[in-house]
Amino acid sequence: MTHNGLFFLFYCFRYDLESDKLYSFSWYKDHEEFYRYVPRSEPTQHSYHVEGIKVDHRYSDHRRVQLEDVGLYTSGRYKCEVVAEAPNFNSVIAEANMEVVVLPEESPTITGEEKIYASGDVLALNCTSGKSHPGAHLKWFINGVQVKADSELRHEQHGLISTISSLRLELEPDHLSSEKIKVRCEAVVRSSQETNDSFIDSRATEVFVQGQSSLLRPSACLLVTLLLLQRLLVPH
């Protein structure tokens, strides 16, 4: 796994030809050959056009190959093959996956907050992640406690994904105990390869919205006002 825009150096396994001599050393991406080293040819190195691959011959030889300008299309299944000379032409092959990860350039943003909330109001917010690959998974926290999002959408452009998560939460008195609601949105980018060392990049944004536990909801205020007017208007 590597990051977008950097170089990447592949090493093939340590091979032992014993008494045989090396005939060729080749690299493949998704079954397409992109590099070959043949010690008896002139020049010794040959590279072939494969999407997402740009070989740097200065740092490539009979044991390694360096790729430059690594991008999303560089991800794939890679294979190296070592072939001995005649008469045996014995060969050894090794394979591995390589994934390019593009991290977001900015932290997620939270939008939609109102000036003040009361118990019973609905907290309706959106959280939008920066563009990345793979796309970020968004998590919501209210006063440090994780809450479930209402919905999540993903928009893809040029291979990069932006995630939008919507939260709709009816506020309870416990949410307003300190008269401030701490809202946190966390964006996590994880490698799609299921390994023990899956890469994780985590970024978060926090906002504080004003809450007032003693504040009556507008409908309740209207009801109290109507009752008071009714009492004043009723003749005694």
Side-chain angles (χ1 to χ4, degrees):
M1 177 171 45
T2 188
H3 294 175
N4 184 56
L6 304 178
F7 68 87
F8 192 83
L9 184 62
F10 282 104
Y11 278 94
C12 202
F13 54 88
R14 293 183 178 180
Y15 57 86
D16 184 6
L17 297 176
E18 296 181 351
S19 59
D20 292 336
K21 292 184 178 180
L22 177 66
Y23 172 70
S24 67
F25 172 73
S26 302
W27 279 92
Y28 301 81
K29 174 183 175 287
D30 298 330
H31 308 295
E32 289 188 78
E33 186 178 16
F34 66 86
Y35 175 79
R36 180 182 294 184
Y37 180 93
V38 182
R40 291 184 178 273
S41 74
E42 185 58 42
T44 57
Q45 299 182 71
H46 303 268
S47 57
Y48 310 98
H49 176 72
V50 173
E51 186 177 24
I53 298 294
K54 184 178 180 181
V55 177
D56 189 338
H57 287 258
R58 297 172 300 170
Y59 303 102
S60 304
D61 54 30
H62 63 291
R63 289 190 180 274
R64 63 184 183 178
V65 62
Q66 179 164 303
L67 306 182
E68 55 183 347
D69 297 335
V70 170
L72 290 177
Y73 292 109
T74 313
S75 297
R77 181 76 174 173
Y78 285 80
K79 177 177 71 175
C80 69
E81 180 183 36
V82 177
V83 180
E85 280 193 339
N88 296 324
F89 288 107
N90 293 324
S91 65
V92 185
I93 294 174
E95 296 184 66
N97 290 320
M98 195 272 280
E99 179 184 23
V100 176
V101 173
V102 181
L103 300 180
E105 295 182 355
E106 63 277 337
S107 297
T109 56
I110 297 175
T111 56
E113 63 267 27
E114 300 290 341
K115 291 183 178 180
I116 192 167
Y117 291 89
S119 178
D121 285 345
V122 175
L123 184 66
L125 302 173
N126 288 329
C127 180
T128 305
S129 71
K131 296 178 181 178
S132 65
H133 183 88
H137 174 64
L138 299 179
K139 299 179 182 179
W140 287 97
F141 298 85
I142 302 296
N143 296 332
V145 179
Q146 186 172 354
V147 295
K148 186 178 180 180
D150 184 64
S151 64
E152 186 172 282
L153 298 174
R154 294 195 169 196
H155 298 283
E156 182 174 352
Q157 186 176 20
H158 305 301
L160 299 180
I161 301 169
S162 179
T163 306
I164 302 174
S165 178
S166 298
L167 175 69
R168 290 182 60 85
L169 178 69
E170 184 174 343
L171 296 174
E172 300 177 358
D174 290 345
H175 294 132
L176 307 167
S177 57
S178 65
E179 297 194 349
K180 277 190 177 181
I181 309 168
K182 180 181 177 182
V183 182
R184 175 183 174 91
C185 178
E186 184 177 294
V188 178
V189 177
R190 183 187 297 270
S191 169
S192 60
Q193 299 182 25
E194 296 297 330
T195 61
N196 293 331
D197 59 345
S198 294
F199 180 83
I200 295 178
D201 177 75
S202 180
R203 306 180 188 212
T205 295
E206 293 181 349
V207 297
F208 289 89
V209 295
Q210 185 69 36
Q212 190 168 338
S213 57
S214 60
L215 183 67
L216 291 172
R217 297 179 64 186
S219 57
C221 292
L222 180 60
L223 179 61
V224 170
T225 302
L226 289 174
L227 289 174
L228 289 173
L229 286 174
Q230 187 178 20
R231 288 186 178 183
L232 291 173
L233 294 174
V234 173
H236 296 283

